[in-house]
Amino acid sequence: MIENVQIMEAIKSLGVDCFSLSGHPTNEAEFLSMYQEKTGKDSNDTAIMSSDKSDFSVTWSQVTSKVTELKTIHDNNKYQRDREIAYPSIKDQLDMIYHAGQGGDAFQKAIKAVKDKYPKG
């Protein structure tokens, strides 16, 4: 099942900046009944929302395709997330460089250990 956060992230990445999603749609009919999109503003500068699918700039098919694309990117970059957590803090890295002088061996070894543990996918 697609998470609501994934759906909302996909809609945003498709270029929609103002929308409403009231629920967890699992198919096109549910999406059409739960989705609203901004079509303009009234005289008070309040967003005018529409639930008419002819006003939508995205379709359920586009949203689910984008969710799949974003999930693939996320899954393929797991090594980056793992490395980010495993690297020494910037403070510690700078301290290693300072104390190593010109050589920088401790710093290079620490970074290499993380890169070896979490190789590029």
Side-chain angles (χ1 to χ4, degrees):
M1 182 170 100
I2 301 173
E3 302 271 333
N4 238 27
V5 171
Q6 294 171 315
I7 293 171
M8 292 173 22
E9 184 179 333
I11 293 168
K12 289 177 187 174
S13 72
L14 288 166
V16 182
D17 62 347
C18 188
F19 64 92
S20 171
L21 188 61
S22 59
H24 280 75
T26 59
N27 58 50
E28 183 177 18
E30 290 177 356
F31 174 73
L32 293 174
S33 72
M34 297 175 183
Y35 183 74
Q36 291 186 338
E37 193 170 308
K38 177 182 159 189
T39 57
K41 294 180 182 180
D42 66 14
S43 60
N44 294 321
D45 207 28
T46 303
I48 299 170
M49 303 298 284
S50 173
S51 55
D52 183 343
K53 75 177 183 177
S54 66
D55 291 331
F56 298 167
S57 59
V58 295
T59 64
W60 177 245
S61 176
Q62 290 171 315
V63 171
T64 56
S65 291
K66 184 55 88 169
V67 166
T68 300
E69 177 187 332
L70 294 173
K71 185 168 177 9
T72 299
I73 291 168
H74 180 269
D75 292 348
N76 289 343
N77 293 321
K78 182 179 183 317
Y79 78 94
Q80 290 176 338
R81 293 186 305 281
D82 291 341
R83 283 181 179 183
E84 186 175 351
I85 293 167
Y87 281 137
S89 71
I90 296 296
K91 178 183 176 266
D92 289 344
Q93 290 180 36
L94 291 172
D95 196 50
M96 284 181 220
I97 293 169
Y98 173 79
H99 288 294
Q102 295 293 328
D105 287 341
F107 169 75
Q108 291 173 351
K109 286 178 183 175
I111 298 302
K112 183 168 179 4
V114 172
K115 288 181 180 276
D116 290 347
K117 184 173 181 179
Y118 302 108
K120 279 188 179 178

